[in-house]
């Protein structure tokens, strides 16, 4: 089922599935019991463009802090809970916008019923988070390894537990650290379930490796029309996850905003192009316009190669030309060329 056709759930004010814009999630790295530090991190991630935030609730102290966190957070808060259904009940009461559990590990049908009722009464969806690393023994024996089919069967079993109590406000994730396995599982899940899918490659790694692996796994699914909300998992500041998530959505053509394209430089480059490209990217970060800005090393190829760009700069010797949709606008000296490019972009905005 492609993203237009899944069931839609609401995570606080953010719609997920049913054709809603694909949202970006991250997870706090603070101790949830420290509400002050957690809220500070959530505000920082909201400023980076994060749509939904998840926090770990491993104990009573974390659950104690949830009421304040949920009340003051600028983003809908997802409570991540393992094993203890009472923590899920407390988080539902504290104002969590979604609960992430595995109904199979919170202690029997009666506990699942209590959590489903508490969430159902408040309109709180539940994400079933299947992970290749913690697959049920029965499925491992049946399939011999955590295969895509095994992950999907696990999701089906967990979903059935909730459905038994009339609860269908469900979102699913099926994560593995192997990109091909993750993608195969999501493709199978999309054929089988009507529920929205939370995409992610788990334990993806440090920023470069993790971003590449996530861009492949999440990106490939998104290009297939699969996936309704994404989380890039990185061993890094969660702000990096948000930036990577937004970049993946933009690359897949699923989120607007500025795109900076730049050439790789070569023997023709006579300006400090790397610094210029980084500065343009930084200065456009808060720009909400759907524009493509090219930063190119030379006039010989630059404006032509970047003809599709709305604005651009191409370096010469000690100077640069500014162009707009392939047409040269003016020459500017190299010092201050980025200022001049930004001024050109601003000028058009004011027209
Ligand atoms: Fe080289 Fe010019 Fe192409 Fe940049 S745009 S890679 S400087 S030929």
């Amino acid at each position: 089922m492609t993203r237009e056709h899944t069931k839609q759930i609401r995570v606080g004010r953010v719609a997920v599935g049913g054709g809603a814009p694909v949202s970006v999630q991250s997870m706090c790295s603070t101790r949830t019991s420290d509400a002050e530090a957690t809220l500070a991190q959530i505000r920082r991630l909201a400023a980076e463009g994060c749509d939904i935030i998840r926090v770990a609730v491993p104990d009573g102290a974390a659950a104690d802090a949830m009421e304040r966190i949920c009340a003051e957070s600028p983003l809908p808060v997802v409570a991540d809970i393992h094993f203890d259904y009472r923590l899920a009940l407390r988080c539902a009461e504290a104002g969590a916008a979604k609960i992430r559990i595995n109904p199979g590990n919170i202690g029997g049908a009666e506990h699942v019923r209590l959590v489903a009722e508490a969430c159902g009464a408040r309109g709180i969806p539940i994400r079933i988070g299947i992970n290749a690393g913690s697959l049920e023994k029965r499925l491992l024996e049946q399939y011999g390894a955590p295969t895509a089919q095994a992950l999907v069967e696990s999701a089906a079993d967990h979903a059935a537990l909730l459905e038994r109590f009339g609860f269908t406000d469900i979102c699913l994730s099926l994560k593995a650290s192997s990109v091909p396995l993750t993608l195969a599982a999501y493709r199978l899940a999309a054929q089988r379930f009507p529920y929205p899918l939370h995409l992610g490659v788990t334990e993806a790694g440090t920023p470069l490796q993790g971003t590449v692996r996530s861009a492949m796994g999440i990106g490939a699914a998104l290009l297939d029309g699969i996936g309704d909300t994404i989380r890039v998992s990185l061993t890094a500041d969660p702000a990096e996850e948000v930036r990577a998530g937004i970049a993946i959505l933009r690359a897949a053509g699923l989120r607007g905003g500025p795109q900076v394209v730049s050439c790789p430089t070569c023997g023709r480059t006579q300006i400090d192009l790397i610094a210029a490209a980084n500065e343009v990217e930084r200065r456009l970060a808060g720009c909400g316009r759907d524009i493509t800005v090219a930063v190119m090393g030379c006039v010989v190829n630059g404006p032509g190669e970047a003809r599709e760009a709305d604005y651009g700069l191409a370096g010469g010797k000690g100077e640069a030309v500014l162009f707009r949709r392939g047409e040269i606008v003016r020459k500017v000296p190299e010092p201050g060329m980025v200022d001049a490019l930004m001024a050109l972009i601003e000028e058009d905005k004011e027209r």
Side-chain angles (χ1 to χ4, degrees):
M1 197 167 278
T2 57
R3 74 178 62 88
E4 284 73 28
H5 303 107
T6 68
K7 181 182 167 74
Q8 187 168 88
I9 61 166
R10 289 204 79 85
V11 182
R13 61 185 150 74
V14 181
V16 174
V22 180
S23 47
V24 172
Q25 310 204 11
S26 185
M27 187 163 182
C28 282
S29 55
T30 50
R31 290 216 178 283
T32 308
S33 53
D34 185 345
E36 199 66 45
T38 302
L39 282 164
Q41 191 173 61
I42 295 174
R43 287 186 198 106
R44 199 159 59 80
L45 296 174
E48 291 284 350
C50 186
D51 299 307
I52 297 170
I53 190 70
R54 178 159 51 116
V55 297
V57 185
D59 51 31
D64 288 343
M66 279 298 279
E67 196 168 327
R68 180 173 167 212
I69 292 171
C70 295
E72 295 182 26
S73 169
L75 301 177
V77 180
V78 182
D80 191 285
I81 293 153
H82 287 280
F83 310 121
D84 190 343
Y85 78 101
R86 288 165 302 186
L87 293 174
L89 297 182
R90 287 189 59 192
C91 288
E93 203 171 315
K98 183 166 78 175
I99 306 277
R100 183 263 161 131
I101 53 165
N102 284 349
N105 75 16
I106 60 165
E110 181 56 16
H111 293 170
V112 176
R113 184 180 67 78
L114 291 171
V115 174
E117 281 177 7
C119 289
R122 295 172 177 86
I124 302 171
I126 293 177
R127 168 157 73 92
I128 298 170
I130 303 300
N131 198 309
S134 55
L135 213 56
E136 296 90 319
K137 210 164 152 239
R138 176 183 66 76
L139 289 168
L140 277 178
E141 281 167 6
Q142 187 181 339
Y143 290 93
T147 60
Q149 189 69 46
L151 290 169
V152 168
E153 287 306 323
S154 176
D157 289 352
H158 288 87
L161 265 174
L162 289 174
E163 288 161 353
R164 198 196 299 172
F165 301 110
F167 191 94
T168 57
D169 216 4
I170 295 171
C171 177
L172 297 172
S173 63
L174 304 98
K175 300 188 186 181
S177 56
S178 150
V179 172
L181 174 57
T182 304
L183 187 58
Y186 278 115
R187 283 179 172 153
L188 269 183
Q191 287 171 16
R192 175 136 173 202
F193 302 109
Y195 302 122
L197 297 176
H198 163 122
L199 301 180
V201 176
T202 197
E203 299 130 19
T206 49
L208 175 62
Q209 160 159 277
T211 302
V212 170
R213 291 155 60 80
S214 298
M216 289 182 69
I218 294 173
L222 289 174
L223 291 175
D224 275 359
I226 297 170
D228 306 279
T229 183
I230 67 170
R231 190 238 172 150
V232 175
S233 303
L234 296 178
T235 310
D237 183 320
E240 296 280 333
E241 298 186 348
V242 176
R243 287 181 211 128
I246 291 171
I248 290 170
L249 290 185
R250 284 196 180 138
L254 291 168
R255 182 163 299 201
Q259 289 259 30
V260 177
V261 296
S262 52
C263 83
T265 80
C266 73
R268 292 189 189 87
T269 319
Q270 297 188 71
I271 57 167
D272 186 355
L273 190 84
I274 296 173
N278 279 302
E279 194 184 340
V280 169
E281 191 169 274
R282 185 180 58 74
R283 288 175 64 170
L284 284 173
C287 166
R289 290 165 65 193
D290 293 342
I291 50 172
T292 301
V293 180
V295 185
M296 308 297 282
C298 74
V299 189
V300 182
N301 291 336
E305 282 181 16
R307 199 172 292 117
E308 305 304 318
D310 296 296
Y311 303 95
L313 161 170
K317 191 170 169 36
E319 62 182 17
V321 296
L322 302 184
F323 56 92
R324 186 197 278 122
R325 284 173 249 355
E327 301 291 323
I328 292 178
V329 177
R330 56 181 165 265
K331 257 186 199 163
V332 293
E334 183 180 355
M337 64 186 176
V338 173
D339 290 337
L341 174 65
M342 299 308 291
L344 176 68
I345 296 169
E346 277 299 301
E347 256 171 47
D348 277 11
K349 190 172 127 194
E350 283 157 18
R351 271 187 193 173

